[in-house]
Amino acid sequence: ILAGILSDIIIVKNGAGEVYWPPFVNQIATLNPGEGYQAKMSNSNSFYYQCTNPSVKLSMQMQPSYYKRNANTGNNMTIGLPASLIEPLLQVGDEIGVFGESNQLVGSSVYESGFVAISAWGNDEYSLNTDGLQTDEEFIIRIWHPTSQTEELLQINSWAEGNSTYEVNGIAMAEKAALIGNNEAYLLYQNIPNPFRDETQIKFYVPKATFIELDVFNILGDKVAKLTADNYEQGIHAINFDSSRLPAGTYFYRIKAPNYSNTKRMNLIK
């Protein structure tokens, strides 16, 4: 049906978050009468579909039982995990869960082979509860292995497109990834904004309740700020760094936990 505009299609989504993402995956299979669709195009184009018979789904996707989520908030983004990246890491039947900064499950799928597309659901602004990701909120991806009853973090080391923050109708395509044991999966994110003036935010993820130290150093290795030294629960946490008293230049921030340390660079401009 979409063959006439295929060269202009970036992605097509239905209301359930299923996608047709050429040339990677087709979860929609057929267009159903009465169902709404969104199409993101590289060029302005149009097509007409005259339905004479109700269509039938060609196949049904496996549904998660461990990362089970039924809420449809009306807005989402699509995360792509290429076959070449994910096939060496997962087995058929493994479940993939996307979690927000508060450890809330915001999207899930079951690995069936090949390319994986997951819808990460955003918050419904008309709901009284927080039921999805906020714009620019960080997300992480966890893997549940039903055969061994174990959970691991899928650490995305680089993105071919997009990143690990939520954007309505956004697209994020992973490029490099690795599985890390759930109790060892600490993450230190790049500060935002960077470069920055006066203030920036630093986020980090801890896999279990633990003591965390976060310090800032100048290019000579002198400590110029202690941002925190406290106990943190599992999840993503954010610390604001006020640098208004420091001169412009390159700085480093270091996180330390038992058996873990990581350092990243940031640039202060005036």
Side-chain angles (χ1 to χ4, degrees):
I1 294 170
L2 301 175
I5 58 170
L6 183 60
S7 61
D8 297 322
I9 293 175
I10 297 175
I11 195 169
V12 177
K13 300 194 292 186
N14 63 15
E18 296 171 322
V19 300
Y20 172 42
W21 193 353
F24 307 114
V25 66
N26 185 0
Q27 298 173 335
I28 294 176
T30 54
L31 299 182
N32 295 314
E35 185 172 355
Y37 297 85
Q38 287 181 299
K40 186 174 183 179
M41 311 285 288
S42 59
N43 294 296
S44 177
N45 210 327
S46 61
F47 77 102
Y48 301 91
Y49 171 41
Q50 182 176 358
C51 177
T52 56
N53 295 298
S55 58
V56 179
K57 288 282 185 179
L58 298 182
S59 62
M60 294 296 292
Q61 287 184 280
M62 297 171 61
Q63 297 300 310
S65 58
Y66 188 79
Y67 296 139
K68 189 174 183 180
R69 174 183 166 86
N70 296 320
N72 181 331
T73 62
N75 68 92
N76 59 57
M77 71 174 289
T78 306
I79 303 168
L81 304 176
S84 59
L85 180 150
I86 208 71
E87 283 179 346
L89 303 176
L90 302 187
Q91 295 182 345
V92 173
D94 285 348
E95 296 190 18
I96 305 167
V98 182
F99 292 81
E101 294 183 8
S102 62
N103 268 341
Q104 182 183 35
L105 178 66
V106 295
S108 60
S109 181
V110 178
Y111 179 63
E112 298 186 57
S113 73
F115 186 92
V116 176
I118 310 168
S119 291
W121 293 93
N123 186 53
D124 182 355
E125 61 181 1
Y126 299 107
S127 171
L128 297 178
N129 301 317
T130 300
D131 46 17
L133 294 165
Q134 305 282 357
T135 299
D136 294 329
E137 181 176 347
E138 296 277 357
F139 60 82
I140 61 169
I141 301 174
R142 296 182 191 153
I143 306 297
W144 172 252
H145 305 286
T147 54
S148 60
Q149 297 287 291
T150 58
E151 186 179 53
E152 292 184 291
L153 180 78
L154 182 67
Q155 179 175 288
I156 308 299
N157 296 318
S158 65
W159 296 89
E161 183 176 355
N163 54 43
S164 60
T165 59
Y166 180 74
E167 177 186 357
V168 177
N169 292 327
I171 293 174
M173 178 79 77
E175 183 177 48
K176 296 180 181 179
L179 283 176
I180 303 176
N182 205 38
N183 289 331
E184 304 169 358
Y186 292 89
L187 294 175
L188 179 63
Y189 296 95
Q190 187 64 51
N191 63 301
I192 297 176
N194 186 48
F196 65 99
R197 287 185 174 88
D198 294 336
E199 187 171 276
T200 189
Q201 187 177 77
I202 299 171
K203 293 181 180 180
F204 55 90
Y205 169 77
V206 295
K208 58 183 177 181
T210 191
F211 185 77
I212 293 293
E213 293 180 82
L214 186 63
D215 301 305
V216 178
F217 301 84
N218 63 21
I219 199 165
L220 298 176
D222 301 320
K223 185 187 295 186
V224 297
K226 177 173 282 295
L227 301 186
T228 188
D230 207 347
N231 291 303
Y232 288 86
E233 297 296 321
Q234 179 192 36
I236 298 176
H237 304 275
I239 301 291
N240 290 328
F241 172 41
D242 181 357
S243 62
S244 56
R245 297 184 179 181
L246 294 175
T250 298
Y251 293 86
F252 300 88
Y253 56 100
R254 183 186 69 191
I255 188 172
K256 288 183 69 177
N259 303 315
Y260 176 79
S261 178
N262 195 8
T263 301
K264 286 186 179 293
R265 176 164 42 182
M266 58 185 174
N267 294 307
L268 170 61
I269 56 178
K270 294 291 187 179

